[in-house]
Amino acid sequence: MTINKEIQDKTMTLKLAGRLDTTTSPELEEELKASLDGIEDLRMDFSELEYISSAGLRILLAAQKTMNKQGTMSITGVNDTIMEIFEITGFSDILTIK
Amino acid sequence: MGNQEEKEKKIRGGIIAQVAVLFLMGTFVIGLTTFFFEQFVSEGTVKSQLSSMLDSIAAEVIVTVDEYPANEWLLDYWYENADEMDIEYDADYRPGTETEKKAAQFTQEHPDIQIEYATTEQITSLSAEDQKLYAEIVYSWLITRINEIKRIYDIDFLYCVLTDDTYSYQYFLFSAADEGAKRGTEFEEVYPIGHVVQVDSDELKNGMRTAAKTDGFLTPTGKYRDYYKYLNDVAGQTALIGVSYDTSRMMDRVNRQTVKDTVNVVVGLVVLAALCLLLLLVYVLHPLRKIQRNIRMYTKNKDREMVTSNLRELQLVNEMGQLSEDVITLAEEIDNYLEEIQTITEEKQRISAELSLASRIQADMLPSSFPPYPERTDVNLYASMTPAKEVGGDYYDFFKVDENHIALVIADVSGKGIPASLFMMITKIMAENAVTVDSMQSPAMIMEKLNEQICKHNKEEMFVTLWLGILDLKTGRVAASNAGHENPILKQPGGTFQVLHDKHGFVLGGMEGIKYNEYEFMMEPDSKLFLYTDGVPEATNENNELFGMDRLVDTLRDAQDETPEGILNAVNNAVEEFTGDALQFDDLTMLCVHYVGDQNS
């Protein structure tokens, strides 16, 4: 998986590509832990993300909880496979998916 | 070992042989160079040695001549009267010779004159007859004496010549000959008195001139090397002593000298080379072998203390000493490393043992005796869990809520390994408690309570997807709630397996205060319900393709008439066939219920 990070002022955009699963999610967790401070608008671009596992969902949930306290978080470009996972797990209810 | 020793011998021979070959080649080249250089040098050396030897021979002849007080008169007389003189060339002091008789006669007639010490005055006062007698005696004696000089010094010719300022001829006054040698006028014969040889060679003329004017001179070429030294002036001419030495004999001396010098150098080099090889053997190869032996010993039995004391006892100096210290250090490092590895291995084995124990405990937590209700004919079910690692986060569960209700649970904890398995155990206990504490609760209420309980003890932000259904065995009615879990797949009698798109709530433990939906569906008698975790549809093959819902439903339909156990086996086989050798990351957990219904009704 690759993570492309762009920070402008208080807006951070993370563009993910590949698979977000048990082996790759610690990478995203580190990235968020390191740079989420002071961010008020977190945008995640999933247009090149192929798959997300429960380990990846856990990271999204943690990020969503953090952003609930300091601003907003939104996800764009979700493909059908991932959308189905979001729906099955009920994540579609708590995430802002555009 | 045999092979190793053989190899070692070969290698050791190699070093000595390599160095020896190098030395041999060097010796050969140096020997050759020395030979040519020495040839050049020794020619000069031999020439100068020869020159000084011939000079001293000539000097000796001159002294011999000068010993006669009347020598000047004698030289003149011999020259003037060469033709009249009656000469005996080979008298050689022998008794009974003409010369002895002449000497006896002369002494008898002139008892006052000693022949050897006669002065010019004494001789000139004698009669012409006696003067001739005297000159003949002394000439014969002189020949005898220079014959002796020639013999002692082993030279080829020794003579006295007269020449003038043109140096164009040589008049032979006297010459030495070996005993019995023929006197004659041919080349290489010993010339008699009065023989004249024409001189054409400028080299020879030049040599004679140099000898006459300044010093002795050795001619540089020719079959013979001639050395000339000034004797006296005789009758307006110059008398020179000539000594000839065969050039080939001289060259023999040069060659002998060259060979001798070359042999000396080569022998010196060989001795030096042997010494170097010996030192190499003593200071390098021998210690190296000892170190090698110790390294092998260490390799074999890992006894560092012994190797260390062995190597220290050798007390090696130079680089070999450093090498042996390095070997000791290396052995220490290896020992430390081995210890470390042993500790790590023990730790690993302990962890592995604990993990497999944990795995067994986890498996034992799940109901595993099938059929679970052998006395009941109205329901049959089968379940399996195959963790991807030793322990996983999936689980299935079923238990009686009361006599007519069975709770069915399938769940998947986020993450993997020990953390997931611990969380799974807690969830399993909490869920069973939440269901059995009050049989009248609705599934949605149970989910909400369960969510609150899990959230309360969830600092690590783990979550679990869980499907809960309560089957009424009398009616086949199922009251269910889904917290973020995969859709159940249901087959009604007369139909095929179909995915049940139920209402989904959020995962358990994700967020506090979530409300859950519940729903109901009927299982007609002979219905089958298939529950599973995402490990099944998300099983991946080597091309990174997912097994997927379509393949899952197809497999179920193909096996729809089998028992629950048969259906699970069919799915397992299909997944295994699909994934092949690809490593699986997710647990494979399934539960299948066959609701037979009341066969009596």
Side-chain angles (χ1 to χ4, degrees), chain B residues 295-476:
Chain B
I295 291 176
R296 291 202 175 143
M297 207 189 298
Y298 180 76
T299 311
K300 209 169 155 193
N301 55 26
K302 297 283 179 298
D303 190 345
R304 177 167 63 84
E305 310 251 315
M306 195 166 98
V307 168
T308 304
S309 73
N310 278 356
L311 286 176
R312 291 258 159 83
E313 263 171 39
L314 294 180
Q315 293 191 317
L316 298 173
V317 290
N318 64 38
E319 284 86 345
M320 290 297 143
Q322 288 174 4
L323 181 63
S324 81
E325 281 304 313
D326 288 349
V327 168
I328 291 171
T329 313
L330 190 65
E332 272 168 20
E333 294 276 317
I334 290 175
D335 270 16
N336 291 342
Y337 193 56
L338 282 178
E339 251 168 57
E340 220 168 277
I341 285 180
Q342 202 172 355
T343 315
I344 291 171
T345 309
E346 279 167 10
E347 184 76 357
K348 232 180 160 184
Q349 279 170 344
R350 192 179 61 76
I351 290 173
S352 166
E354 285 179 4
L355 262 180
S356 75
L357 184 62
S359 177
R360 279 210 302 282
I361 291 171
Q362 189 188 33
D364 291 348
M365 292 273 300
L366 306 181
S368 59
S369 101
F370 298 104
Y373 311 116
E375 76 285 359
R376 297 200 75 121
T377 53
D378 52 355
V379 69
N380 185 23
L381 59 79
Y382 194 83
S384 73
M385 179 185 74
T386 317
K389 291 187 177 174
E390 277 113 332
V391 289
D394 281 11
Y395 85 94
Y396 65 83
D397 201 5
F398 53 85
F399 47 87
K400 279 187 179 167
V401 183
D402 56 34
E403 194 49 37
N404 292 317
H405 292 88
I406 295 178
L408 304 167
V409 178
I410 189 134
D412 183 0
V413 172
S414 62
K416 300 275 186 297
I418 303 240
S421 81
L422 284 174
F423 202 77
M424 164 238 154
M425 299 265 221
I426 295 163
T427 308
K428 182 189 178 295
I429 294 163
M430 282 182 175
E432 191 170 347
N433 284 342
V435 174
T436 51
V437 70
D438 178 0
S439 61
M440 297 310 289
Q441 295 172 101
S442 70
M445 281 170 67
I446 294 170
M447 286 292 199
E448 277 159 32
K449 263 164 68 182
L450 198 50
N451 185 44
E452 298 310 308
Q453 281 177 357
I454 291 172
C455 284
K456 216 184 278 178
H457 307 286
N458 187 18
K459 290 211 171 94
E460 294 307 312
E461 295 184 321
M462 307 273 286
F463 62 79
V464 51
T465 71
L466 187 144
W467 185 91
L468 168 68
I470 295 168
L471 168 63
D472 185 334
L473 291 171
K474 276 194 164 169
T475 59

Side-chain angles (χ1 to χ4, degrees), chain A residues 34-50:
Chain A
S35 44
L36 213 52
D37 262 7
I39 299 295
E40 290 179 5
D41 186 3
L42 174 63
R43 297 174 187 180
M44 291 194 158
D45 184 348
F46 278 14
S47 51
E48 283 173 39
L49 192 68
E50 296 159 14

